[in-house]
Amino acid sequence: MEKVETTLMLLRKNDEILLAMKKRGFGVGKFNGVGGKLKIGETPEMAMLRETEEEIGVVPSKYEKVGLLDFVEFYKGEKVNIVTHLYTASEWEGEPKESEEMKPQWVGVNEIPYDKMFVDDKYWLPLVLEGKKLDVFFEFDEDWNVISKRIDEI
C-alpha cells in the first residue's frame, strides 16, 4: 500500500478557526485546514510552511505540531495510507486570502460546519480545539464510511 505524507494547518484567533473551502482536486467542495503533500527532501514543517503560504498567502510564525493523523483510505481508486502532520498556529505574517485552490473563511469554534467537512473531522477537531495533542487512526471504505478508528491523546 502506498504511503503519502501530508500536512494540515489550522490557524486560530480568539474563538475562531480558519477553514478553507477546497476549490479543486482531492476534497473539492469541503472545508478543511490548509496543507498538502510533502515534496522530496522536505520535512513536515517545511511542507506546512510552504503549503500555508501557497494556499492562503500567510506564513505561520508561532505554531506547534499537535498531532499525527493516520488514514487508510481510497484515493483515486486505490487504497493508500495518508499520514498527516497536524499543526495549529496562533500567529502568522500576512492576511489569509483566496487562491486558485482554497477559499479561506473564519468560523466560530461553536459554528464549525462538520457536515461540509471530511467525516473524521468531527471526532478529532473538537479535541484539538480543546488544546489536546492527538495520535489518530481512521480506516475508510470506498464510500467514506468509517471501518475503524482510534484517537489517543499524547
Coordinates of all heavy atoms in Angstrom, one line a residue, residues 55-118:
E55 N -1.3 28.3 -0.3 CA -2.8 28.2 -0.4 C -3.5 29.4 0.1 O -4.6 29.6 -0.3 CB -3.2 26.9 0.4 CG -2.8 25.6 -0.4 CD -3.3 24.4 0.2 OE1 -3.9 24.4 1.3 OE2 -3.2 23.3 -0.5
I56 N -3.0 30.1 1.2 CA -3.7 31.2 1.7 C -2.9 32.5 1.9 O -3.4 33.5 2.4 CB -4.5 30.9 3.0 CG1 -3.5 30.4 4.1 CG2 -5.6 29.9 2.7 CD1 -4.1 30.3 5.5
G57 N -1.6 32.5 1.5 CA -0.8 33.7 1.5 C -0.3 34.1 2.8 O 0.0 35.3 3.0
V58 N -0.3 33.2 3.8 CA 0.3 33.6 5.1 C 1.4 32.7 5.5 O 1.5 31.6 5.0 CB -0.8 33.6 6.3 CG1 -1.9 34.5 5.9 CG2 -1.3 32.2 6.6
V59 N 2.3 33.2 6.4 CA 3.5 32.4 6.8 C 3.3 32.3 8.4 O 3.5 33.3 9.1 CB 4.8 33.1 6.5 CG1 6.0 32.3 7.0 CG2 4.9 33.3 5.0
P60 N 3.0 31.1 8.9 CA 2.9 30.9 10.3 C 4.3 31.3 11.0 O 5.3 30.9 10.5 CB 2.6 29.4 10.5 CG 2.0 29.0 9.2 CD 2.7 29.9 8.1
S61 N 4.1 32.0 12.1 CA 5.3 32.4 12.9 C 5.3 31.8 14.3 O 6.4 31.6 14.9 CB 5.5 33.9 12.9 OG 4.3 34.5 13.5
K62 N 4.2 31.6 14.8 CA 4.1 30.9 16.2 C 3.1 29.7 15.9 O 1.9 29.9 15.8 CB 3.5 31.9 17.2 CG 3.5 31.2 18.6 CD 3.1 32.2 19.7 CE 3.1 31.6 21.0 NZ 2.6 32.5 22.1
Y63 N 3.7 28.5 15.9 CA 2.9 27.3 15.6 C 3.4 26.1 16.4 O 4.6 26.2 16.9 CB 2.9 27.1 14.1 CG 4.3 26.9 13.5 CD1 4.9 25.7 13.5 CD2 4.9 28.0 13.0 CE1 6.2 25.6 13.0 CE2 6.2 27.9 12.5 CZ 6.8 26.7 12.4 OH 8.1 26.6 11.9
E64 N 2.7 25.1 16.4 CA 3.1 23.8 17.0 C 2.5 22.7 16.4 O 1.4 22.7 15.9 CB 2.9 23.8 18.6 CG 1.4 23.7 19.0 CD 1.2 23.6 20.5 OE1 2.0 22.9 21.1 OE2 0.2 24.1 21.0
K65 N 3.2 21.5 16.4 CA 2.6 20.3 15.9 C 1.7 19.7 17.0 O 2.2 19.6 18.1 CB 3.7 19.3 15.5 CG 3.2 18.1 14.9 CD 4.3 17.2 14.3 CE 3.8 16.0 13.7 NZ 4.9 15.1 13.1
V66 N 0.5 19.4 16.6 CA -0.5 19.0 17.7 C -1.0 17.6 17.4 O -1.8 17.1 18.2 CB -1.7 20.0 17.8 CG1 -1.2 21.3 18.3 CG2 -2.4 20.1 16.5
G67 N -0.5 16.9 16.3 CA -1.0 15.6 16.1 C -0.5 14.9 14.9 O 0.2 15.6 14.0
L68 N -0.8 13.6 14.8 CA -0.5 12.8 13.7 C -1.8 12.1 13.3 O -2.3 11.4 14.2 CB 0.6 11.8 14.0 CG 1.3 11.1 12.8 CD1 2.0 12.1 11.9 CD2 2.2 10.1 13.2
L69 N -2.3 12.3 12.1 CA -3.5 11.7 11.6 C -3.1 10.6 10.6 O -2.5 10.9 9.6 CB -4.4 12.7 11.0 CG -4.7 14.0 11.8 CD1 -5.5 15.0 11.0 CD2 -5.3 13.7 13.1
D70 N -3.4 9.4 10.9 CA -3.1 8.3 10.1 C -4.3 7.7 9.5 O -5.2 7.2 10.2 CB -2.4 7.2 11.0 CG -1.7 6.1 10.2 OD1 -1.8 6.1 8.9 OD2 -1.1 5.2 10.8
F71 N -4.4 7.8 8.1 CA -5.6 7.3 7.4 C -5.3 6.2 6.5 O -4.3 6.2 5.8 CB -6.3 8.5 6.6 CG -6.6 9.7 7.4 CD1 -5.8 10.9 7.3 CD2 -7.7 9.7 8.2 CE1 -6.2 12.0 8.0 CE2 -8.0 10.9 9.0 CZ -7.3 12.0 8.8
V72 N -6.2 5.2 6.4 CA -6.2 4.2 5.4 C -7.5 4.5 4.6 O -8.6 4.4 5.2 CB -6.1 2.8 5.9 CG1 -6.3 1.8 4.8 CG2 -4.8 2.5 6.6
E73 N -7.3 4.9 3.3 CA -8.5 5.4 2.6 C -8.3 5.1 1.1 O -7.2 4.7 0.7 CB -8.7 6.9 2.8 CG -7.6 7.7 2.3 CD -7.7 9.2 2.7 OE1 -7.9 9.5 3.9 OE2 -7.6 10.0 1.8
F74 N -9.3 5.3 0.3 CA -9.2 5.2 -1.1 C -9.0 6.5 -1.8 O -9.7 7.5 -1.5 CB -10.5 4.5 -1.7 CG -10.5 3.0 -1.3 CD1 -11.0 2.6 -0.1 CD2 -10.1 2.1 -2.3 CE1 -11.1 1.2 0.2 CE2 -10.1 0.7 -1.9 CZ -10.6 0.3 -0.7
Y75 N -7.9 6.6 -2.5 CA -7.5 7.8 -3.2 C -7.3 7.5 -4.7 O -6.5 6.7 -5.0 CB -6.3 8.4 -2.6 CG -5.7 9.6 -3.2 CD1 -6.4 10.8 -3.2 CD2 -4.5 9.6 -3.9 CE1 -5.9 12.0 -3.8 CE2 -4.0 10.8 -4.5 CZ -4.7 11.9 -4.5 OH -4.2 13.1 -5.1
K76 N -8.1 8.1 -5.5 CA -8.1 7.8 -7.0 C -8.3 6.3 -7.2 O -7.6 5.8 -8.1 CB -6.8 8.4 -7.6 CG -6.7 9.9 -7.5 CD -5.4 10.4 -8.1 CE -5.3 11.9 -8.0 NZ -4.1 12.4 -8.6
G77 N -9.2 5.7 -6.5 CA -9.5 4.3 -6.7 C -8.6 3.3 -6.1 O -8.8 2.1 -6.1
E78 N -7.5 3.8 -5.4 CA -6.5 2.9 -4.8 C -6.5 3.0 -3.3 O -6.6 4.2 -2.8 CB -5.1 3.1 -5.4 CG -4.9 2.9 -6.9 CD -5.0 1.5 -7.3 OE1 -4.6 0.6 -6.5 OE2 -5.6 1.2 -8.4
K79 N -6.3 2.0 -2.6 CA -6.2 2.0 -1.1 C -4.8 2.6 -0.8 O -3.8 2.0 -1.3 CB -6.4 0.6 -0.5 CG -6.7 0.7 0.9 CD -7.0 -0.7 1.4 CE -7.7 -0.7 2.8 NZ -8.1 -2.0 3.2
V80 N -4.7 3.6 0.0 CA -3.5 4.3 0.3 C -3.4 4.6 1.8 O -4.5 4.7 2.5 CB -3.2 5.6 -0.5 CG1 -3.0 5.3 -1.9 CG2 -4.3 6.6 -0.2
N81 N -2.3 4.8 2.3 CA -2.0 5.2 3.7 C -1.6 6.7 3.7 O -0.5 7.0 3.2 CB -1.0 4.4 4.4 CG -0.6 4.8 5.8 OD1 0.5 4.6 6.3 ND2 -1.6 5.3 6.5
I82 N -2.5 7.6 4.2 CA -2.2 9.0 4.2 C -1.8 9.3 5.7 O -2.6 9.1 6.6 CB -3.4 9.9 3.8 CG1 -4.0 9.4 2.5 CG2 -3.0 11.4 3.8 CD1 -3.4 10.0 1.3
V83 N -0.6 9.8 5.9 CA -0.1 10.2 7.2 C 0.0 11.8 7.2 O 0.7 12.3 6.4 CB 1.3 9.6 7.5 CG1 1.8 10.1 8.8 CG2 1.2 8.1 7.5
T84 N -0.8 12.4 8.0 CA -0.9 13.8 8.1 C -0.3 14.4 9.4 O -0.8 14.0 10.4 CB -2.4 14.3 7.9 OG1 -2.9 13.7 6.7 CG2 -2.5 15.8 7.9
H85 N 0.6 15.3 9.2 CA 1.2 16.0 10.3 C 0.3 17.3 10.6 O 0.2 18.1 9.7 CB 2.6 16.4 10.0 CG 3.5 15.2 9.7 ND1 4.2 14.6 10.6 CD2 3.7 14.6 8.5 CE1 4.9 13.6 10.0 NE2 4.6 13.6 8.7
L86 N -0.3 17.3 11.8 CA -1.3 18.4 12.1 C -0.6 19.5 12.9 O 0.0 19.2 14.0 CB -2.4 17.7 12.9 CG -3.5 18.6 13.3 CD1 -4.2 19.3 12.2 CD2 -4.5 17.8 14.2
Y87 N -0.8 20.7 12.5 CA -0.3 21.9 13.2 C -1.4 22.9 13.5 O -2.4 23.0 12.7 CB 0.7 22.6 12.3 CG 2.0 21.8 12.0 CD1 2.0 20.9 11.0 CD2 3.1 22.0 12.8 CE1 3.2 20.2 10.7 CE2 4.3 21.3 12.5 CZ 4.3 20.4 11.5 OH 5.5 19.7 11.2
T88 N -1.2 23.7 14.5 CA -2.0 24.9 14.7 C -1.1 26.1 14.8 O 0.1 26.0 15.3 CB -2.9 24.8 16.0 OG1 -2.0 24.6 17.2 CG2 -3.8 23.6 16.0
A89 N -1.6 27.2 14.5 CA -0.8 28.5 14.6 C -1.7 29.5 15.3 O -2.9 29.7 15.0 CB -0.4 29.0 13.2
S90 N -1.0 30.3 16.1 CA -1.7 31.4 16.8 C -1.2 32.8 16.3 O -1.8 33.8 16.6 CB -1.5 31.3 18.3 OG -0.1 31.3 18.6
E91 N -0.1 32.8 15.5 CA 0.5 34.0 15.0 C 1.0 33.7 13.6 O 1.6 32.6 13.3 CB 1.6 34.5 15.8 CG 1.2 35.0 17.2 CD 2.3 35.6 18.1 OE1 3.4 35.9 17.5 OE2 2.1 35.7 19.3
W92 N 0.9 34.7 12.7 CA 1.4 34.5 11.3 C 1.6 35.9 10.7 O 1.1 36.9 11.2 CB 0.4 33.7 10.5 CG -1.0 34.2 10.6 CD1 -1.6 35.2 9.8 CD2 -2.0 33.9 11.5 NE1 -2.9 35.5 10.2 CE2 -3.1 34.7 11.3 CE3 -2.0 33.0 12.6 CZ2 -4.3 34.6 12.0 CZ3 -3.2 32.9 13.4 CH2 -4.3 33.7 13.1
E93 N 2.3 35.9 9.6 CA 2.6 37.1 8.8 C 1.7 37.1 7.6 O 1.5 36.1 6.9 CB 4.0 37.2 8.4 CG 5.0 37.2 9.5 CD 6.4 37.1 9.1 OE1 6.7 37.3 7.9 OE2 7.3 36.8 10.0
G94 N 1.0 38.2 7.3 CA 0.1 38.3 6.2 C -1.3 38.1 6.6 O -1.6 37.7 7.7
E95 N -2.2 38.3 5.7 CA -3.7 38.1 5.9 C -4.1 37.0 4.9 O -3.8 37.0 3.8 CB -4.5 39.4 5.6 CG -4.4 40.5 6.6 CD -4.9 40.0 8.0 OE1 -5.9 39.4 8.1 OE2 -4.2 40.2 9.0
P96 N -4.9 36.1 5.5 CA -5.4 35.0 4.6 C -6.2 35.5 3.4 O -7.0 36.4 3.6 CB -6.4 34.2 5.6 CG -5.9 34.5 6.9 CD -5.4 35.9 6.9
K97 N -5.9 35.0 2.3 CA -6.5 35.4 1.0 C -6.8 34.2 0.2 O -6.1 33.2 0.2 CB -5.7 36.4 0.3 CG -4.4 36.0 -0.2 CD -3.6 37.1 -0.9 CE -2.3 36.6 -1.5 NZ -1.2 36.9 -0.8
E98 N -7.8 34.3 -0.7 CA -8.2 33.2 -1.6 C -7.1 33.0 -2.7 O -6.5 33.9 -3.2 CB -9.5 33.6 -2.3 CG -10.1 32.5 -3.1 CD -11.5 32.8 -3.6 OE1 -12.1 33.8 -3.1 OE2 -12.0 32.1 -4.4
S99 N -7.0 31.7 -3.0 CA -6.0 31.3 -4.0 C -6.8 30.4 -5.1 O -8.0 30.2 -4.9 CB -4.9 30.4 -3.5 OG -5.4 29.2 -3.0
E100 N -6.1 29.9 -6.1 CA -6.8 29.1 -7.1 C -7.3 27.8 -6.4 O -8.2 27.2 -6.9 CB -5.8 28.7 -8.2 CG -5.5 29.9 -9.1 CD -4.5 29.5 -10.2 OE1 -4.3 28.2 -10.4 OE2 -4.0 30.4 -10.9
E101 N -6.7 27.4 -5.3 CA -7.0 26.1 -4.7 C -8.0 26.2 -3.5 O -8.8 25.4 -3.2 CB -5.7 25.4 -4.3 CG -6.0 24.0 -3.9 CD -4.7 23.2 -3.7 OE1 -3.6 23.7 -4.1 OE2 -4.7 22.1 -3.3
M102 N -7.9 27.3 -2.7 CA -8.6 27.4 -1.4 C -9.2 28.8 -1.3 O -8.7 29.8 -1.6 CB -7.6 27.2 -0.2 CG -6.9 25.9 -0.3 SD -7.9 24.5 -0.1 CE -7.9 24.2 1.7
K103 N -10.4 28.8 -0.6 CA -11.1 30.0 -0.3 C -11.3 30.0 1.3 O -12.1 29.3 1.8 CB -12.5 30.0 -0.9 CG -13.3 31.3 -0.6 CD -14.6 31.3 -1.4 CE -15.3 32.7 -1.1 NZ -16.6 32.7 -1.8
P104 N -10.4 30.8 2.0 CA -10.4 30.8 3.4 C -11.6 31.6 4.0 O -12.1 32.5 3.4 CB -9.1 31.4 3.8 CG -8.8 32.3 2.6 CD -9.4 31.6 1.4
Q105 N -12.0 31.1 5.2 CA -13.1 31.8 5.9 C -12.9 31.5 7.4 O -12.7 30.4 7.9 CB -14.4 31.1 5.4 CG -15.6 31.6 6.1 CD -16.9 30.9 5.6 OE1 -16.9 30.5 4.4 NE2 -17.9 30.6 6.4
W106 N -13.1 32.6 8.2 CA -13.0 32.5 9.7 C -14.4 31.9 10.1 O -15.4 32.4 9.7 CB -12.7 33.8 10.3 CG -11.3 34.2 10.1 CD1 -10.8 35.2 9.3 CD2 -10.2 33.7 10.8 NE1 -9.4 35.2 9.4 CE2 -9.0 34.3 10.3 CE3 -10.0 32.7 11.8 CZ2 -7.7 34.0 10.8 CZ3 -8.7 32.4 12.2 CH2 -7.6 33.1 11.7
V107 N -14.3 31.0 11.0 CA -15.5 30.3 11.6 C -15.4 30.3 13.1 O -14.4 29.9 13.6 CB -15.7 28.9 11.0 CG1 -16.9 28.2 11.6 CG2 -15.7 28.9 9.5
G108 N -16.5 30.6 13.8 CA -16.5 30.4 15.2 C -16.4 29.0 15.6 O -16.9 28.1 14.9
V109 N -15.6 28.7 16.7 CA -15.4 27.3 17.1 C -16.7 26.5 17.4 O -16.7 25.3 17.4 CB -14.3 27.2 18.2 CG1 -13.0 27.6 17.7 CG2 -14.8 27.9 19.4
N110 N -17.7 27.3 17.7 CA -19.0 26.6 18.0 C -19.9 26.6 16.8 O -21.1 26.2 16.9 CB -19.7 27.4 19.1 CG -19.0 27.3 20.5 OD1 -18.4 26.2 20.8 ND2 -18.9 28.3 21.2
E111 N -19.4 27.0 15.6 CA -20.2 27.1 14.4 C -19.5 26.3 13.3 O -19.7 26.6 12.1 CB -20.4 28.5 14.0 CG -21.2 29.3 15.0 CD -21.1 30.8 14.8 OE1 -20.3 31.3 14.0 OE2 -21.8 31.5 15.5
I112 N -18.6 25.4 13.6 CA -17.9 24.6 12.6 C -18.8 23.8 11.7 O -19.6 23.0 12.3 CB -16.8 23.8 13.2 CG1 -15.8 24.7 13.9 CG2 -16.1 22.9 12.2 CD1 -14.7 24.1 14.7
P113 N -18.7 23.9 10.4 CA -19.7 23.2 9.5 C -19.2 21.7 9.3 O -18.8 21.3 8.2 CB -19.6 24.0 8.2 CG -18.2 24.5 8.2 CD -17.9 24.8 9.6
Y114 N -19.3 20.9 10.3 CA -18.8 19.5 10.2 C -19.5 18.7 9.0 O -18.9 17.8 8.5 CB -19.0 18.7 11.5 CG -18.1 19.2 12.6 CD1 -18.5 19.9 13.7 CD2 -16.7 18.9 12.5 CE1 -17.6 20.4 14.6 CE2 -15.8 19.3 13.5 CZ -16.3 20.1 14.5 OH -15.4 20.5 15.5
D115 N -20.7 19.1 8.7 CA -21.5 18.5 7.6 C -20.9 18.8 6.2 O -21.2 18.1 5.3 CB -23.0 18.8 7.6 CG -23.2 20.3 7.5 OD1 -22.4 21.1 7.9 OD2 -24.2 20.6 6.9
K116 N -20.0 19.8 6.2 CA -19.3 20.1 4.9 C -17.8 19.8 5.0 O -17.0 20.4 4.3 CB -19.5 21.6 4.6 CG -21.0 22.0 4.4 CD -21.2 23.4 4.2 CE -22.7 23.7 4.0 NZ -23.0 25.1 4.1
M117 N -17.4 18.9 5.9 CA -16.0 18.6 6.1 C -15.9 17.0 5.9 O -16.9 16.3 5.7 CB -15.6 19.0 7.5 CG -15.7 20.5 7.7 SD -15.4 21.1 9.4 CE -13.6 20.9 9.4
F118 N -14.6 16.6 6.0 CA -14.4 15.1 6.0 C -15.0 14.5 7.2 O -15.0 15.1 8.3 CB -12.9 14.8 5.9 CG -12.3 15.1 4.6 CD1 -11.5 16.2 4.4 CD2 -12.5 14.2 3.5 CE1 -10.9 16.4 3.1 CE2 -11.9 14.4 2.3 CZ -11.1 15.5 2.1

